[in-house]
Amino acid sequence: MASMKTTFLLALIFLLLQTEFISLEAIWSNSSAGNSTVGCIDMEREALLKFKEGLDVTSGTLSSWVGEDCCNWLGVGCSNRTGNIIKLDLNAQLLCDQMSGNTSAVCGYPLRGVLSPSLLELKYLNYLNLSYNDLRGTIPPQIGNLSNLLYLDLSDADFNGTIPPQIGNLSNLLYLDLSWNFLTASNLNWLSGLSSLKYLNLNDVDLSEATTDWLQTVNLLPSLLELHLSDCELHHLPQNFPSVNFTSLSVLDLSGNDFNSSSIPQWVFNFTSLTKLQLWYCNLAGSIPKIAKGNLCKLQTLDLFDNNLSGEITEFFQALSECSNSSLEELYLSRNKLIGNIPHSLGNLKRLRELQLHINAFSGSIPSSIQSLSHLRELQLFSNAFSGSIPLSIQNLSCLEILSLYDNKMNGTIPESIGQLSELRELHLSGNYWQGIMTETHFLNLTKLYVFSLSSSSRNPLVFNVTHDWIPPFSLQYVKILDCRLNPTFPAWLRTQNELTEIHLVNTAISDTISNCLWNLSSQLVELDLSHNNLMGNLPKSLNLSSLQRVYLDFNHLEGSLPLWPNVTVFSLRNNSLSGPIPIRIGQEMSQLVELDLSDNSLNGSIPSSINGLRVLGFLRLSNNHFSGNIHNHWQGMLDLFFIDLSRNYLSGGIPSSMCSLPYLSWLQLSNNNLSGNLSLGLKFLSRQISTLDFGGNRLSGTIPEWIGERNFSIKILSLRGNMLYGKIPKQLCGLTNIHVLDLAHNNFSGSIPTCLGSLVGYIDSNVVDHMNIPRYMDLVVKGRQYEYNDEIFLVKIMDFSRNNLSGEIPAELTSLTLLNSLNLSWNQLTGKIPENIGSLRQLETLDLSSNHLSGHIPPSMSSMTFLSHLNLSYNNLSGQIPSTNQFQTFNDPSIYEGNPYLYGPPPLPTSLSMPRDRNAEHKDQEDVHVHNNGEDQFEKLWFYLSIALGFIVGFWVVCGSLLIKKSWRHTYFCFAEKMKDRLLVVIALNMAHLQRKIQAERH
């Protein structure tokens, strides 16, 4: 932007010379040249001093503003003929340069204060620049009295309020920049008075009240060359505009406005003089308009980034390439919905320097004509559906600095010619289906490379095969290699990369000791990810990598105890074989920890209370270990903690109040432990931020508190499964409107199912999503089986009330939960009919209503539940014919209907029906298949103990019975025992005597 303003200013000066508005001597006369001969006018000097009084000048910004001749002051320019001040340039960059003597220095806002009206007494001023300062307050209306102004720049100066319409009185104004303040304008009618205006920049001015007529007003400026209206809250983009007066427009910037899915109007592409068009992030839709021949031939930059544009781009590229000498240098079409292949005509845009087409739906191969783009520096094609291999002619792009092809469907081998791109700085090849081998040749001339990423999802993964003593020609700062095959030992060439800040070698078949991997790495290393390998050995107690902050060593074979690495902020060791307790000094020695994941190990002991010393910890996962004892009640110091997972351990006691009351706690998972106590007491101090609560598989008792729907309305996942809870399901639970996983199974709840559950938005609105960007894992029972869900858990909609004592009818209101995936009401006392409208649950995959007292027929609407794959209606009182259309044709297992004597098929039902087992017994379905295994285990244990008893009895009587019966044997046995006792006593006595003599000899 600065270079654009400078270019425009030079053009403006030339224009002024041609039109004789003002002489070159008058514009640039300044004290720095030392050539002012007339001297400063007293009244104007006083006006400047009053302006200075309204500013904070303690920093010495205007220290040169002393003496009689104000024409020698910093930023002041006077006319050599009259002595009047005609130029005041106090932009921040000029002032910072003067203060520091270094043009690269940053000094913030050099001018702070209020714009004094006295400045507006400078009647002959034709140039005023106060940009990038901190001039609070409004723009004075008197600024309209500066009738000689040609150039006015008040950008980024913290002005607020409404733009004074008096600016429209500046009829000579050629350049106006009011951007990046806090200004508003109810209309733009005042622009009609600026008929000579050539540059207009109102970026970030709130024009929401002028959104309907802004274009008509701007159209009154026939001389306009540049129009900048970015982020102006405009919502209307006229599609038809028959007469455009500003036909000489060179730059049009309407980016950052929400045009409500309007299409790009044709008139935008009709400017023959346009060099820069910016329409990024405008919520534009439809296809890119056709370009008439000869239009946009001068276009250098086209930015349509981040819209909803669709369709193919073949005609668009063809039209651009028809220009005899295309000027296009920068093309940004990323983050849209464009499809199709990149046409061969791309090669005709020979001046192209940057091409960004990423995050679309382009397909096909990269055209070979790309080799003609000899000036191309940046090629961003990631996150599309490109296939095929990289063209061999890629080596012709000798200026290429960034090549980004990740997250596509590209395959084949990576050509060795890529190693000829000597200017390449970033190479992103991950997320494709590469095969073959990469060797040193692929990097032969990549001397400037500092970012490299590579991964392959192919069945035959790519092999990264370099010699052990290879010294790369580059010096990387970032390396990421995933799902490829490296040599078993840790890559020795990484030790030559002294500028590395991040290493990611994930699932690369490294089989080495962890101590060898951590030896002699870059001292600047900040992040190390070696997860999903075969690393072995104990973690070292200390590290030489003082800059290392984030460590990921998940899914390896690491052993030993947990080390304490002081500077680490993220420590992830999931799924290893670590053992022993958590060191008691973890709170003191790892006080900078933000994320700690030790899940799926063999750690034991109690969770130390010293963990309360981790004051900045936000994420804690200790699940699936062998921790035992009570959960301590010292969590109050961990105020940033928002995620806690202590599930699948052997913890006991109650739920500590200091844990539940953490102010930002959003995820609390304590399932599958041995916790006890009253549920209400555990929830009493629960954070209002909580979104996930999993207490399943414990021994909690009591009722669900009625106030949970009022205090904790943010809950989206609630699992109380497998406890000892009782009472009614409170209606207040319906206050959890965003909930989408509600699991109350395996308790002793009674009463009816609240009808208001049919209004839960989380099961209806697909826009209810979770924005927690962290890895999550939770066990859920779906289709009779237990599954571990990862981040996709927030796409699951489950309601499970099975194995309780609920009564009454199934509320018809539940059929309004149109996004419900799984509904399990089995093993209750429900009566009445299945709701006729249950077919409305079109997304339902699992429906289990077994072991109730339901009657009536199977609703025909269930045939429309095309996603239904798991159905169980057994052991009810249903009658009539089983539907045989659509989805019911796939249900061939007759057991899902058994126990309904008046129900008839197809499919053929069993003739002799068994009865369901007692409610206290486990249900014979896949959900509880582990009970069968437990029964077998108990049977085997019984035989084991019986065999021990029988063996003891037989052995005892074989020996002792024979001694009782035969006297000679008994006499011989006891004589032998007596002799053995005597011999043993003699041996002991001799040894004791020998020992005593030895002791006495040593004393003497």
Side-chain angles (χ1 to χ4, degrees), residues 25 28-29 136 229 326 336 344 355 362 497 633 813 999:
E25 176 190 25
W28 293 113
S29 174
R136 309 176 195 94
L229 296 177
S326 175
N336 282 285
H344 191 77
L355 178 61
F362 291 117
Q497 305 297 293
N633 199 19
E813 288 80 1
I999 294 173

Side-chain angles (χ1 to χ4, degrees), residues 751-762:
S752 60
I753 299 174
T755 58
C756 61
L757 292 178
S759 62
L760 294 175
V761 179

Side-chain angles (χ1 to χ4, degrees), residues 680-697:
S680 298
L681 295 178
L683 300 179
K684 185 176 182 180
F685 302 99
L686 197 60
S687 164
R688 292 181 181 270
Q689 306 292 326
I690 198 76
S691 66
T692 298
L693 196 62
D694 183 6
F695 289 170

Side-chain angles (χ1 to χ4, degrees), residues 534-701:
N534 297 310
L535 301 180
M536 300 166 288
N538 295 354
L539 288 165
K541 298 297 182 182
S542 61
L543 279 181
N544 295 324
L545 305 173
S546 59
S547 298
L548 190 61
Q549 297 179 12
R550 299 181 294 276
V551 179
Y552 302 91
L553 299 173
D554 313 275
F555 293 90
N556 280 286
H557 304 294
L558 301 174
E559 300 174 334
S561 58
L562 178 69
L564 300 179
W565 295 347
N567 297 321
V568 172
T569 61
V570 176
F571 206 13
S572 188
L573 296 168
R574 185 186 182 212
N575 210 310
N576 280 282
S577 300
L578 300 178
S579 59
I582 296 177
I584 198 168
R585 291 190 55 80
I586 188 171
Q588 291 78 28
E589 298 193 26
M590 297 193 73
S591 59
Q592 299 182 48
L593 265 180
V594 175
E595 180 178 332
L596 178 62
D597 189 347
L598 303 177
S599 59
D600 299 295
N601 280 281
S602 298
L603 298 169
N604 55 35
S606 60
I607 299 174
S609 58
S610 60
I611 204 171
N612 188 50
L614 303 176
R615 301 292 182 175
V616 294
L617 191 70
F619 180 97
L620 176 64
R621 176 181 283 129
L622 304 178
S623 59
N624 200 20
N625 279 282
H626 303 301
F627 294 116
S628 58
N630 292 352
I631 304 175
H632 64 82
N633 199 19
H634 301 284
W635 299 80
Q636 62 275 7
M638 308 167 73
L639 298 180
D640 293 334
L641 198 58
F642 65 90
F643 186 104
I644 300 176
D645 183 0
L646 307 181
S647 62
R648 290 181 287 175
N649 281 288
Y650 301 96
L651 301 170
S652 57
I655 301 173
S657 58
S658 63
M659 172 192 287
C660 294
S661 61
L662 292 170
Y664 299 110
L665 188 62
S666 179
W667 182 291
L668 181 56
Q669 196 169 351
L670 303 177
S671 56
N672 296 305
N673 280 285
N674 196 28
L675 301 174
S676 59
N678 191 286
L679 176 66
S680 298
L681 295 178
L683 300 179
K684 185 176 182 180
F685 302 99
L686 197 60
S687 164
R688 292 181 181 270
Q689 306 292 326
I690 198 76
S691 66
T692 298
L693 196 62
D694 183 6
F695 289 170
N698 284 287
R699 296 191 298 113
L700 299 172
S701 59

Side-chain angles (χ1 to χ4, degrees), residues 927-963:
E927 174 183 347
D928 300 300
V929 69
H930 62 278
V931 175
H932 174 69
N933 295 333
N934 289 341
E936 289 184 346
D937 292 340
Q938 292 180 359
F939 187 74
E940 291 176 357
K941 287 181 180 179
L942 178 61
W943 273 111
F944 175 73
Y945 293 135
L946 285 174
S947 63
I948 291 177
L950 289 173
F952 177 79
I953 292 171
V954 172
F956 179 84
W957 285 109
V958 165
V959 176
C960 297
S962 60
L963 295 177

Side-chain angles (χ1 to χ4, degrees), residues 853-869:
H853 304 292
L854 301 174
S855 58
H857 63 279
I858 299 175
S861 65
M862 289 182 63
S863 298
S864 62
M865 301 165 69
T866 54
F867 284 96
L868 193 63
S869 59

